[in-house]
Amino acid sequence: MTSNSSLSTRDQLVNWHPYTQMQTAPPPIGIVRGEGAVLYAEDGKEYIDAVSSWWVNIHGHAHPHIAERVSQQLRTLEHVIFAGFTHAPAVELSERLLRLLPANQTRVFYTDNGSTAVEVALKMALQYWYNQGIQKTKIIAFEGSYHGDTFGAMSVSERSVFTRPFQQYLFDVEFLPVPVPGQEAATLVKLKQILAQNDIAAFVFEPLVLGTAGMVMYSPEVLDQLLQLCQEHHVITIADEVMTGFGRTGKRFACDYLTRQPDLMCFSKGLTGGTMALGVTTCSQQVYDIFLSDDKTKALFHGHSYTANPVACAAGLASLDLVEAASFQQNLDRISAAHTAYAESLTGKPGIKACRQTGTILAIEFEVGETSYFNCLRDQLYALGLENGVLLRPLGNIIYVLSPYCITQEQLTRVYETIDQMRLLVLQSFSA
Ligand SMILES: *Cc1c(COP(=O)(O)O)cnc(C)c1O
């Protein structure tokens, strides 16, 4: 294969990549095949996918069980309009999901991705009050949160350089500090102040781990307290489990750590095992009932051409087969234990500012005095990982591991060794 016919070269003439400054970004790596935790590139190189390809691929690449189920579905029914019609994959996926979710969740609404799952949750929450003629219009979100890239989802996310060009179009949100260890009381006080306003429609949150913020973690106990306050003030609670869902936190769902149950839940990333784009918003009967009326305008007016696509739902069902297999929890426990041991080995080492872990999510914050170095360092760390055949995407000075659950111990060791090298690189960069 000549270099100017490579995927990478042809890509650079026609594609526009997400979150990428196209002028300065290195050429994209052409991937021709995936298996387990490994991606195979067109130049023969191999990469351990330690970030599950943006957190979606929970069972490993090209999983044969999912592939089989998807191909069967493709030959049976590839798509059908979901207004006025239904099909087995959507019915079964909803039935099975609801059996796994907190008991108060009774209805499933399908969309195409995590952002739209959040959009729908926001619309459900706002219209829940509107349908009752009650003036509650404000939304609470965490500082630093990320809920997606559509306008509603951006509005309830941290304002940053990413959202700056659209700032004036984003609606106002009450931002609440994350109750990280030691800050719980301050967050509770602030929430009480906000709730005293009486015009709060909903509280949207990433349970236990704020992913894009840099894997910022807080306890289930304080989340239960926040939920209790919201529920006492009749505020709709929305758990955005787009990242935390399907095992990431060491249990099936982050909300499995809670005693309280959210009114609405959002899922996407792990839902199809990283195979097809699919999102769901689930809700309690109490929310659902407010949309029932002889008045047609009280319906939820939201939908997508590919709502509940049968092939995507089939991928979701196949993924759930794997989620419900005995080996699933064993893998979560194995990875969690490996992370804990590795994090312990790092404590006190120079260059390490903090280590955080929730289940299979490990985050390591490097000590970097001068913040002006940041971007350059981030790119260097990323490149070092790729040179080692490990795909790790630093968030600033934070490196995290969010691997497929099939990752082997040997592969995990490779990932940890790469992080060790990153630490040395950080030390070199900031010494002298
Ligand atoms: C990724 C993510 C989203 C957005 O999902 P997309 O499928 O990328 O639109 C929303 N919320 C959380 C917590 C996420 O991690």
Side-chain angles (χ1 to χ4, degrees):
M1 189 182 285
T2 63
S3 71
N4 62 6
S5 70
S6 74
L7 287 176
S8 181
T9 305
R10 284 159 59 198
D11 178 281
Q12 286 174 280
L13 294 173
V14 291
N15 286 335
W16 190 344
H17 289 265
Y19 284 108
T20 303
Q21 174 44 261
M22 297 300 291
Q23 181 161 310
T24 53
I29 298 167
I31 295 297
V32 291
R33 193 169 72 81
E35 189 181 340
V38 180
L39 296 167
Y40 297 85
E42 60 181 333
D43 63 2
K45 273 198 174 166
E46 298 177 12
Y47 299 93
I48 297 172
D49 187 352
V51 297
S52 299
S53 283
W54 257 342
W55 318 349
V56 299
N57 187 275
I58 57 176
H59 308 297
H61 291 280
H63 196 288
H65 178 65
I66 301 179
E68 183 51 39
R69 187 71 183 77
V70 163
S71 78
Q72 264 175 25
Q73 187 58 46
L74 275 170
R75 283 179 263 110
T76 311
L77 176 69
E78 86 302 343
H79 189 61
V80 61
I81 179 173
F82 204 60
F85 290 82
T86 191
H87 50 81
V91 174
E92 285 170 26
L93 182 55
S94 299
E95 287 172 350
R96 285 181 62 184
L97 255 184
L98 291 174
R99 274 205 295 276
L100 300 181
L101 293 180
N104 70 334
Q105 299 296 297
T106 62
R107 290 279 165 175
V108 178
F109 192 97
Y110 287 95
T111 57
D112 302 339
N113 55 63
S115 302
T116 52
V118 170
E119 292 289 331
V120 166
L122 296 174
K123 282 180 158 187
M124 281 179 180
L126 292 170
Q127 194 178 340
Y128 172 84
W129 298 114
Y130 178 89
N131 277 1
Q132 300 176 77
I134 296 171
Q135 190 64 30
K136 287 192 177 211
T137 55
K138 277 229 183 100
I139 299 192
I140 306 174
F142 278 133
E143 290 169 2
S145 62
Y146 177 76
H147 295 289
D149 284 350
T150 50
F151 273 82
M154 270 197 293
S155 292
V156 294
S157 299
E158 171 79 3
R159 305 291 188 266
S160 72
V161 287
F162 299 153
T163 58
R164 199 163 294 150
F166 321 108
Q167 190 92 1
Q168 63 178 307
Y169 303 102
L170 305 181
F171 57 76
D172 273 344
V173 165
E174 293 285 351
F175 283 107
L176 186 67
V178 183
V180 292
Q183 297 301 309
E184 290 93 342
T187 298
L188 287 164
V189 167
K190 183 76 202 282
L191 179 60
K192 282 181 199 159
Q193 283 167 4
I194 295 171
L195 290 173
Q197 293 172 24
N198 277 329
D199 58 350
I200 305 296
F203 169 42
V204 60
F205 56 93
E206 296 164 83
L208 307 191
V209 186
L210 281 75
T212 306
M215 303 297 155
V216 171
M217 300 176 185
Y218 63 99
S219 77
E221 291 76 22
V222 70
L223 181 52
D224 262 326
Q225 288 176 294
L226 297 176
L227 294 181
Q228 180 178 352
L229 280 173
C230 286
Q231 286 162 358
E232 283 167 5
H233 287 80
H234 306 289
V235 165
I236 297 286
T237 53
I238 306 171
D240 175 356
E241 290 232 26
V242 169
M243 186 275 281
T244 53
F246 305 100
R248 280 296 167 207
T249 62
K251 294 195 188 222
R252 256 189 211 134
F253 302 105
C255 287
D256 292 344
Y257 286 92
L258 302 175
T259 56
R260 304 233 155 215
Q261 300 173 342
D263 300 298
L264 302 174
M265 300 180 78
C266 309
F267 302 96
S268 181
K269 288 191 168 106
L271 177 60
T272 65
T275 308
M276 306 277 299
L278 186 68
V280 302
T281 309
T282 64
C283 73
S284 65
Q285 195 64 32
Q286 187 194 334
V287 170
Y288 179 72
D289 283 346
I290 296 299
F291 290 77
L292 303 179
S293 170
D294 292 331
D295 177 356
K296 280 190 178 166
T297 67
K298 294 205 165 162
L300 180 67
F301 289 106
H302 188 104
H304 298 281
S305 323
Y306 284 101
T307 297
N309 174 259
V311 183
C313 291
L317 283 166
S319 179
L320 277 191
D321 291 340
L322 303 173
V323 165
E324 293 188 276
S327 59
F328 184 75
Q329 188 64 48
Q330 287 162 11
N331 275 331
L332 302 189
D333 295 343
R334 172 179 62 86
I335 295 168
S336 302
H339 283 351
T340 305
Y342 178 60
E344 273 166 16
S345 81
L346 287 180
T347 20
K349 285 212 176 137
I352 303 293
K353 189 171 174 197
C355 288
R356 294 186 285 278
Q357 186 198 355
T358 301
T360 73
I361 305 170
L362 176 67
I364 293 148
E365 203 167 331
F366 291 120
E367 188 74 65
V368 286
E370 266 294 324
T371 46
S372 58
Y373 259 142
F374 243 49
N375 282 334
C376 169
L377 177 72
R378 185 246 166 240
D379 293 348
Q380 283 179 328
L381 294 176
Y382 178 66
L384 187 146
L386 293 180
E387 275 163 33
N388 274 12
V390 177
L391 170 51
L392 286 164
R393 283 179 64 93
L395 293 162
N397 63 325
I398 296 164
I399 198 83
Y400 64 87
V401 186
L402 211 103
S403 74
Y405 306 138
C406 64
I407 193 167
T408 64
Q409 287 307 112
E410 202 185 344
Q411 289 165 337
L412 267 179
T413 303
R414 281 263 308 282
V415 173
Y416 297 150
E417 283 168 1
T418 300
I419 296 174
D420 288 338
Q421 288 184 29
M422 290 179 170
R423 183 178 71 84
L424 296 180
L425 178 77
V426 170
L427 283 176
Q428 277 166 22
S429 309
F430 293 97
S431 65

